[in-house]
Amino acid sequence: MQNDLMNISAVKENFDTALGTVSNLDELNDIRVRFTGKKGDLTLLLRSLGKLPPEQRKEAGLEINKLRDEIEQRLDTAAKNIRDAENEKQEINDRIDVTLPERGRTAGAFHPVIQTMHELVNIMQGLGYSVATGPEKEEDFYNFECMNIPAWHPARDMQDTFYFPDGTLLRTHTSPVQIRSMLKYGAPLRVVCPGKVYRRDNDPTHSPMFNQMEGLLVDKNVSFSVMKGTIAEMINAFFGRSLKYRFRASYFPFTEPSMELDIECVECSGHDEHCRVCHGTGWLEVAGMGMVHPNVIRAGKIDPDVYNGFAFGFGLDRMAMLKYGISDLRLLFDGNVSYFMSGFEGAGKC
Ligand code: PHE
């Protein structure tokens, strides 16, 4: 008995020592196996009971069972403590520190051409113009025929473009939206039509795709001076200051008389003969315009004897370059900034 009770206390001591070194559940499990497993110390003790004289077996058995209960309970408590500690560690790791400064994020921005389009459209909306858009894949009829450019007309050469097998083409200007708008809304009418246009041009100052904004006003007794005032208002609002401008006589089949608009050089105002923007001329050509040709009004199913009007077409890319000091047209189309011209919010599709 003495011998066995000593063994019992040795097992207990060993267990105490072993438990003191445990730091995780795996180690704890090893100890559980070592003491309470099938071949564990406690099981061996129980098996050795048979070797004791019968009168000592009961007391020794009770002692061993008591020790087993104690060991099992301490193992459970240790397991719980380890799990609690691990959970707490995990919780601390997962905790979000709301006092940390934010990492910051880069804001997206509109492409300068889109920005320019928004600005010009806003200005024109302020003058009572609506926004209309039309298809980029256009019919010859709207792009040329209705614009007073019949098939034989030499002006077609200036705007040669990309044709599809079915005879449609990539529109060469936003002017076809003039006709579509007149047919859809009738007169009186005030619209601006921003969008992409295409021509067979590709050199450092021309791109096969560029952006225009068309403007059309149709009403009774529209005079040339209304057009001048409107254009001056738009240019000054866009550049944020009063710029000199001049009209040069020009020719477009769809306007008569026709002119081109030059504005004072936004870079040097004509004071630098080496100016990189105006090359010393002091003037920048920014738009074509004129009083709408009666044939075009007629093509829009409006009576040219009652109504007349003016139309203008600005190059949005050129305006963006001038306003934002962009020196090379190609910069506008390089890179991968995607933008979406034709889905202008609130635009009426013609
Ligand atoms: N459609 C002309 C062009 O693309 C511009 C223009 C528009 C001229 C309206 C006169 C009137 O060059």
Side-chain angles (χ1 to χ4, degrees):
M1 171 68 200
Q2 190 58 28
N3 200 18
D4 278 281
L5 286 180
M6 272 174 63
N7 276 349
I8 292 170
S9 55
V11 168
K12 185 172 164 10
E13 247 169 58
N14 288 346
F15 177 76
D16 287 344
T17 316
L19 195 64
T21 65
V22 159
S23 62
N24 60 45
L25 286 175
D26 284 344
E27 288 171 11
L28 192 70
N29 206 38
D30 290 346
I31 292 178
R32 192 184 288 277
V33 172
R34 182 177 145 197
F35 287 92
T36 65
K38 270 189 200 152
K39 291 180 188 157
D41 289 2
L42 282 168
T43 318
L44 294 180
L45 270 182
L46 278 171
R47 278 204 200 128
S48 69
L49 275 180
K51 291 182 198 146
L52 287 179
E55 67 280 9
Q56 293 178 8
R57 284 181 198 160
K58 191 177 172 200
E59 193 190 342
L62 283 173
E63 282 298 315
I64 295 169
N65 281 332
K66 217 170 94 191
L67 180 59
R68 167 183 283 276
D69 288 348
E70 183 191 328
I71 284 181
E72 275 174 355
Q73 198 199 337
R74 286 175 64 192
L75 284 169
D76 288 348
T77 310
K80 184 178 178 302
N81 289 343
I82 290 172
R83 250 182 250 117
D84 284 353
E86 279 176 359
N87 283 345
E88 196 179 332
K89 214 157 110 192
Q90 184 72 26
E91 217 173 88
I92 288 170
N93 277 348
D94 291 351
R95 205 172 282 164
I96 295 168
D97 184 353
V98 291
T99 66
L100 280 177
E102 62 157 336
R103 290 203 188 98
R105 57 166 95 138
T106 35
F110 281 115
H111 190 283
V113 173
I114 299 298
Q115 230 161 287
T116 299
M117 181 186 85
H118 284 170
E119 287 168 29
L120 287 172
V121 162
N122 277 345
I123 293 167
M124 296 312 288
Q125 282 178 324
L127 294 176
Y129 284 69
S130 307
V131 184
T133 58
E136 286 169 32
K137 182 173 178 280
E138 185 54 282
E139 289 168 36
D140 182 286
F141 180 71
Y142 291 111
N143 194 84
F144 290 129
E145 290 286 332
C146 295
M147 297 310 293
N148 208 25
I149 316 177
W152 51 264
H153 202 289
R156 285 206 178 203
D157 266 1
M158 290 176 351
Q159 298 197 355
D160 211 356
T161 185
F162 306 91
Y163 287 86
F164 295 93
D166 63 359
T168 58
L169 49 97
L170 289 178
R171 66 179 177 192
T172 59
H173 48 180
T174 41
S175 300
V177 192
Q178 283 187 31
I179 300 291
R180 289 177 174 275
S181 301
M182 284 190 275
L183 292 175
K184 185 166 178 192
Y185 302 114
L189 179 65
R190 267 184 266 185
V191 281
V192 281
C193 324
K196 293 188 186 110
V197 300
Y198 303 82
R199 289 187 199 171
R200 248 177 40 185
D201 271 336
N202 199 8
D203 61 50
T205 53
H206 292 91
S207 141
M209 186 284 294
F210 57 104
N211 301 275
Q212 281 191 335
M213 189 181 82
E214 192 85 6
L216 171 70
L217 180 143
V218 178
D219 211 327
K220 288 176 182 161
N221 302 319
V222 179
S223 69
F224 196 96
S225 62
V226 177
M227 179 175 76
K228 272 176 74 177
T230 305
I231 296 300
E233 186 75 29
M234 176 175 143
I235 293 289
N236 293 341
F238 179 69
F239 288 103
R241 61 200 159 108
S242 194
L243 291 172
K244 276 189 288 179
Y245 57 90
R246 69 179 185 189
F247 293 103
R248 265 181 304 104
S250 185
Y251 172 76
F252 298 103
F254 32 90
T255 47
E256 182 60 38
S258 302
M259 52 241 107
E260 274 166 315
L261 172 74
D262 293 343
I263 59 169
E264 165 192 328
C265 176
V266 292
E267 182 79 11
C268 75
S269 294
H271 301 310
D272 178 4
E273 58 181 295
H274 303 296
C275 177
R276 61 176 183 91
V277 180
C278 69
H279 306 293
T281 63
W283 295 102
L284 302 168
E285 182 193 318
V286 290
M289 65 193 63
M291 304 307 287
V292 183
H293 196 290
N295 286 351
V296 176
I297 302 258
R298 203 172 290 116
K301 300 259 186 294
I302 295 172
D303 183 353
D305 292 329
V306 181
Y307 288 98
N308 72 333
F310 64 80
F312 55 85
F314 276 85
L316 291 175
D317 315 87
R318 181 132 173 83
M319 294 291 269
M321 288 172 76
L322 293 177
K323 177 148 182 184
Y324 299 109
I326 300 163
S327 53
D328 187 334
L329 175 76
R330 287 166 299 187
L331 285 176
L332 293 175
F333 307 115
D334 279 353
N336 57 5
V337 180
S338 59
Y339 57 97
F340 186 59
M341 283 297 290
S342 39
F344 194 83
E345 213 181 310
K349 293 247 185 303
C350 291

